Amino acid sequence: MAATDDPGAAFSPLSALQELQPFQWSAGLVARGMAELRIADALGAGPRTTGQVADAIGAHRPSLERFLRVCELHRLIAPAAGAAGGGAAEGATGTGGTGAEGAAGEGGRRWELTPAGELLRSDVPSLRGFAIAVNAPGMTRPWELVADVVRTGRPATRTVWGVDHWEYYAEHPDEARSYAETCASLSVEAAEALVASCSLAGEREIVDVGGSPGTVLARLLRAEPGARGVLLDLPWAVGFARETFEAQGLTGRVELVAGDFRQEVPAGGSLYLLKNVLCDLDDEAAAQLLAHCAKAAPAGGRLLLLDWEYTDHSSHVHANDVEFMVLTGGRARTEEEYRRLLAEAGFTSSRRLPLVGHERAPIALIESVRA
């Protein structure tokens, strides 16, 4: 009987656990572990036994078997269709197992990827970097203080680590690289939508503020061959953008500026781009950044703002919003709030543009002109 089926029934902790699911927090950490171990890569070509996967990734087979069972629980892998288990004939050479693993054969169970597990591969377009970054200590540890954040209204990262969120990445380059992979994977689709939604004809200099790893700016430059680009980001982040432009043969058209947009923004651009930047800033910092952009842009220069939109309809943006609150003190905003910030900074003629292919998504695309 579920804990709430009969108000008069005695409380059953075991039944209540099924409703509350207090261990659900581990789902993201399991995905991160699977991604870091490259288990999805090992299964990418087809079903393999536990022993075969252990050999491929260099893992302790009994421990891997136990971990794979929880990956199965979270629907990242599944028993291979038509095969109950492996056996000596499958050639597993990993450390021998006991118990449930032995019951499935010397090589252990045979596993295959689910559609969700496919998203953790590194050899195809995926969300592997995202799964690692959002479940790494830099993002998860501050969440331990979410109750304090709600009480005080102050982000928790500095309390936990002694530095702010971006300074943390400067000190933890492995996590910074996973974060850059996250930004790159999420930006590919956004970049295509921007090109389809906005005219870039005649733009001479596009300034991407906080734009590392450069995925979006690279796409805009390919769409407008006559434009050059300027990318501003923190020193630890600029290197990832350099890799992007080198890989796409665009280094001759881009200037990389290592700096802090909270201090100043490169001047003279005909188009300024802010993609998912304001959401990481509180209102004071957001207003300051837009003022820097207005000072840097010439009269008639354009600004494109692409960011999460806070709406009355429940969506993942509400989870993102609390994450901004916990990590950086930022927030998702309504369209009207974005418009107000732009107007106060000196941008006029703000208009919302439909984001082609994502018109119903909780994403605001707003074009403004420097007065």
Side-chain angles (χ1 to χ4, degrees):
M1 177 183 295
T4 57
D5 282 352
D6 182 358
F11 175 67
S12 169
L14 292 179
S15 296
L17 281 173
Q18 299 301 312
E19 295 187 15
L20 185 60
Q21 298 184 18
F23 301 109
Q24 193 63 28
W25 60 268
S26 68
L29 299 182
V30 170
R32 172 187 162 206
M34 183 171 164
E36 290 184 328
L37 289 165
R38 298 184 184 273
I39 291 170
D41 289 359
L43 293 172
R48 303 179 83 173
T49 65
T50 298
Q52 290 170 328
V53 175
D55 288 344
I57 68 174
H60 178 245
R61 199 177 85 184
S63 298
L64 176 63
E65 174 73 17
R66 294 163 68 183
F67 182 70
L68 290 176
R69 293 306 300 273
V70 76
C71 291
E72 178 190 9
L73 176 68
H74 292 301
R75 298 181 175 84
L76 298 171
I77 61 173
E90 294 180 276
T93 58
T95 304
T98 59
E101 183 190 3
E106 185 178 336
R109 291 173 173 80
R110 271 182 94 229
W111 303 99
E112 63 184 3
L113 287 175
T114 64
E118 289 277 354
L119 298 176
L120 299 179
R121 293 175 61 177
S122 67
D123 54 346
V124 297
S126 73
L127 294 177
R128 179 179 180 271
F130 181 86
I132 294 174
V134 300
N135 295 296
M139 288 200 181
T140 59
R141 287 288 307 281
W143 269 93
E144 296 172 10
L145 300 183
V146 64
D148 289 337
V149 174
V150 173
R151 291 189 188 102
T152 66
R154 295 191 296 271
T157 299
R158 189 174 293 279
T159 302
V160 173
W161 298 114
V163 294
D164 70 24
H165 184 64
W166 311 114
E167 292 167 339
Y168 175 88
Y169 281 136
E171 297 177 0
H172 296 81
D174 289 344
E175 288 190 44
R177 177 161 293 277
S178 292
Y179 177 77
E181 290 179 16
T182 296
C183 294
S185 63
L186 296 178
S187 295
V188 170
E189 197 171 15
E192 294 297 334
L194 269 175
V195 169
S197 305
C198 308
S199 172
L200 300 173
E203 294 297 348
R204 54 177 180 75
E205 184 169 289
I206 302 171
V207 181
D208 193 351
V209 179
S212 186
T215 309
V216 175
L217 181 56
R219 181 66 184 91
L220 299 187
L221 292 178
R222 293 200 307 273
E224 180 50 42
R228 65 183 299 272
V230 178
L231 185 142
L232 167 68
D233 217 320
L234 294 168
W236 64 263
V238 164
F240 300 121
R242 181 175 293 109
E243 293 175 10
T244 297
F245 297 125
E246 287 177 351
Q248 298 192 30
L250 292 169
T251 53
R253 296 176 58 195
V254 180
E255 177 186 357
L256 298 178
V257 180
D260 187 343
F261 58 58
R262 292 171 295 188
Q263 303 302 320
E264 63 178 349
V265 171
S270 60
L271 173 65
Y272 285 79
L273 175 65
L274 294 175
K275 177 192 170 294
N276 294 126
V277 172
L278 294 191
C279 60
D280 280 317
L281 305 176
D282 61 27
D283 286 345
E284 180 179 356
Q288 183 180 52
L289 170 56
L290 289 173
H292 290 325
C293 290
K295 180 180 178 181
R302 286 197 300 163
L303 183 144
L304 285 177
L305 185 154
L306 181 69
D307 219 319
W308 300 117
E309 182 179 13
Y310 201 92
T311 69
D312 290 335
H313 304 291
S314 180
S315 73
H316 65 86
V317 172
H318 294 84
N320 290 358
D321 181 57
V322 177
E323 182 170 89
F324 304 144
M325 179 174 73
V326 169
L327 297 179
T328 67
R331 55 188 290 255
R333 295 174 172 87
T334 65
E335 178 184 348
E336 181 55 38
E337 287 172 324
Y338 286 127
R339 286 176 177 271
R340 183 167 62 250
L341 283 169
L342 288 163
E344 290 173 353
F347 289 93
T348 63
S349 305
S350 292
R351 60 173 183 144
R352 182 176 187 139
L353 303 177
L355 190 62
V356 175
H358 304 273
E359 290 85 354
R360 301 186 65 180
I363 304 173
L365 174 59
I366 301 175
E367 177 190 65
S368 295
V369 177
R370 174 69 172 95

